[in-house]
Amino acid sequence: MKPALQLRVQSQLALTPQLQQAIRLLQLSSMELELELNLALESNPLLDLDEEDPEGEAVEEFSPPELTASAPVDASDGAGAEAGDTTPDFDDSPLDLGQDRQDYRATSSDEDGFEKQEAGSEDLRDHLLWQLNLTPLGAQDRGIATAIIEGVNDDGYLEESNEEICASLSDLFTVSVNQVEAVRHRVQRFDPLGVASRSLGECLAVQLEGLDPGTPGLETAKLLVVDCLELLARNDRTRICQKLKVRDDELDTVIDLVRSLSPKPGAGYSSSPAEYVAPDAYAHKIGGRWQVSLSPNCQPRLAINEHYANLIARAQRDDANYLRGQLQEARWLIKSLKTRAETVLKVAQAIVRAQAGFLEFGAEAMRPLVLRDVAEEIEMHESTVSRVTTRKYLHTPRGTFEFKYFFSSGVSTVDGGAASATAIQAMIRKLIDEEKAARPLSDQALAIELNRRGISVARRTVAKYREGLNIPSSNDRCRLG
């Protein structure tokens, strides 16, 4: 075979550096975008931060700032109807980076109008150590108490055995198991009562000991938490009455007293500060029409540094080439940010058009929605929509939700329509909230009720949705009273 030259024509899609940058910026969250832009500002002298406030910036809560794109959404039919040209009108003005980030700690305003930082939320161990410092104890007992507190989990229970605590202190003190147990009983009387217990019964018993001796049903409640918790969990009132030798009407008082106790004494103390999200877009109703506006976080205010840009013409060859390259990168970045803002706004508008029923009536009115539906409406690829819906948040009158929350598969209805999984979950939760405490609805009963309402759903599907809501089974939900 002789070697020969062949000419072929073929098309190939290549990702340019500009397109790669636009895709990468699109999938960043608002916080990651801010970090990315801070790095760009530090590395590129042609990029600058425009700190001037735009004139006429709106001050109302939901009114978009001057440079925030906003467009009405036609959702009168509750579906993804055509709403005309909803493309935001961007100009050549520099973008706004000057948006205050929400602090991760709660703030409060003083009388002078300044916001002062509150102390970070105190976790359980800090709270216990503070009480330990106020308790008169010897050095050895204080070391034991510190080891016990360090072994307490977030629910307030002590998972380490007395032997393990003795071993952990062996380098400092020689202590016995009895000493550890004595100090543990002391710690159990710290606030919250029952902390450092090893079982639910012990925890509840310590809390009962802290009540007024004249509390009705107190003595019987102490016997119940020690001997009858398993019977209580099975709702076996007959055997409880027999074992405690009380009448059925007297048992109600005892049970109400036990219910008033805290099974997880450490639950009220957070081991980590609360975190907040800054919405990327806002949905609000004006004049009977839903409108979507971008958050200023979505449009950082960047501009070209004119001083360095003017130096290009006077700079020497190497310096001029460097500045031209940095200028091109700066323009690419600003263009990519505008593209990102346009795409986020389009996706948010499509979501609001499709889920207007949710905004009006709640989760039970959520419609089935998949990425393909939005991609076809805004004429973009599904992968682009997927990137936009990740770690982007929409603020609505019903709360702030990740874009992904509005997407769910559908279940067919008897009239040929479809109901979203989110709507079905909301119906299941409502049915369970309204059930009789003594006769909770089984998964089969929930499926029958949903079928009666026109939603074709099987028992196993109901069980899957119920478990997704972290709702126990009917046997576990069986409550007394």
Side-chain angles (χ1 to χ4, degrees), residues 51-117:
E51 297 180 350
E52 295 182 3
D53 293 330
E55 296 181 1
E57 183 176 359
V59 296
E60 297 180 3
E61 179 181 1
F62 284 111
S63 296
E66 178 184 329
L67 298 177
T68 298
S70 178
V73 176
D74 185 4
S76 58
D77 60 352
E82 293 294 328
D85 184 10
T86 58
T87 303
D89 184 15
F90 289 96
D91 55 23
D92 294 331
S93 302
L95 298 176
D96 186 8
L97 186 64
Q99 171 69 11
D100 294 335
R101 300 291 301 170
Q102 293 193 35
D103 201 291
Y104 282 103
R105 293 182 178 178
T107 58
S108 63
S109 299
D110 59 17
E111 58 184 5
D112 296 327
F114 293 99
E115 288 189 347
K116 57 184 180 181
Q117 296 285 349

Side-chain angles (χ1 to χ4, degrees), residues 96-330:
D96 186 8
L97 186 64
Q99 171 69 11
D100 294 335
R101 300 291 301 170
Q102 293 193 35
D103 201 291
Y104 282 103
R105 293 182 178 178
T107 58
S108 63
S109 299
D110 59 17
E111 58 184 5
D112 296 327
F114 293 99
E115 288 189 347
K116 57 184 180 181
Q117 296 285 349
E118 295 286 351
S121 57
E122 182 183 44
D123 67 11
L124 177 62
R125 295 169 189 82
D126 290 338
H127 184 59
L128 295 174
L129 289 173
W130 171 76
Q131 296 175 77
L132 176 61
N133 291 333
L134 300 178
T135 304
L137 289 175
Q140 194 175 72
D141 288 347
R142 187 173 298 276
I144 296 173
T146 302
I148 291 173
I149 291 173
E150 291 300 325
V152 170
N153 62 22
D154 292 339
D155 291 332
Y157 288 90
L158 180 61
E159 298 176 335
E160 297 181 5
S161 65
N162 290 343
E163 290 78 7
E164 291 173 331
I165 294 175
C166 291
S168 67
L169 295 170
S170 59
D171 293 339
L172 300 175
F173 308 105
T174 301
V175 297
S176 65
V177 173
N178 292 335
Q179 285 179 284
V180 173
E181 187 66 12
V183 175
R184 187 176 74 88
H185 288 316
R186 188 83 176 265
V187 174
Q188 282 182 294
R189 273 67 185 175
F190 284 4
D191 178 62
L193 277 174
V195 71
S197 297
R198 289 200 169 93
S199 67
L200 175 60
E202 182 185 18
C203 177
L204 299 179
V206 173
Q207 295 179 49
L208 290 172
E209 291 176 5
L211 298 179
D212 188 313
T215 303
L218 179 59
E219 296 302 322
T220 307
K222 290 180 180 179
L223 297 175
L224 188 148
V225 299
V226 172
D227 300 327
C228 302
L229 280 182
E230 290 295 332
L231 298 176
L232 184 62
R234 295 199 299 267
N235 192 19
D236 194 343
R237 296 177 64 97
T238 303
R239 291 192 61 187
I240 293 176
C241 291
Q242 292 174 352
K243 200 164 186 177
L244 299 181
K245 299 179 180 179
V246 296
R247 298 192 308 271
D248 190 72
D249 57 338
E250 296 175 339
L251 183 60
D252 291 334
T253 302
V254 176
I255 291 174
D256 290 340
L257 178 59
V258 173
R259 283 179 176 173
S260 67
L261 305 177
S262 174
K264 296 180 179 180
Y269 297 86
S270 174
S271 59
S272 60
E275 296 185 1
Y276 303 90
V277 295
D280 296 88
Y282 291 85
H284 45 282
K285 200 170 188 179
I286 298 178
R289 301 181 67 190
W290 286 102
Q291 292 192 0
V292 178
S293 61
L294 291 179
S295 167
N297 284 345
C298 201
Q299 297 186 113
R301 176 176 285 271
L302 296 182
I304 301 297
N305 188 308
E306 296 298 335
H307 173 70
Y308 285 104
N310 294 332
L311 291 179
I312 296 178
R314 302 194 300 271
Q316 296 184 4
R317 181 174 180 178
D318 292 342
D319 294 337
N321 290 337
Y322 168 76
L323 291 175
R324 287 193 190 96
Q326 295 298 309
L327 177 61
Q328 187 65 37
E329 289 185 9

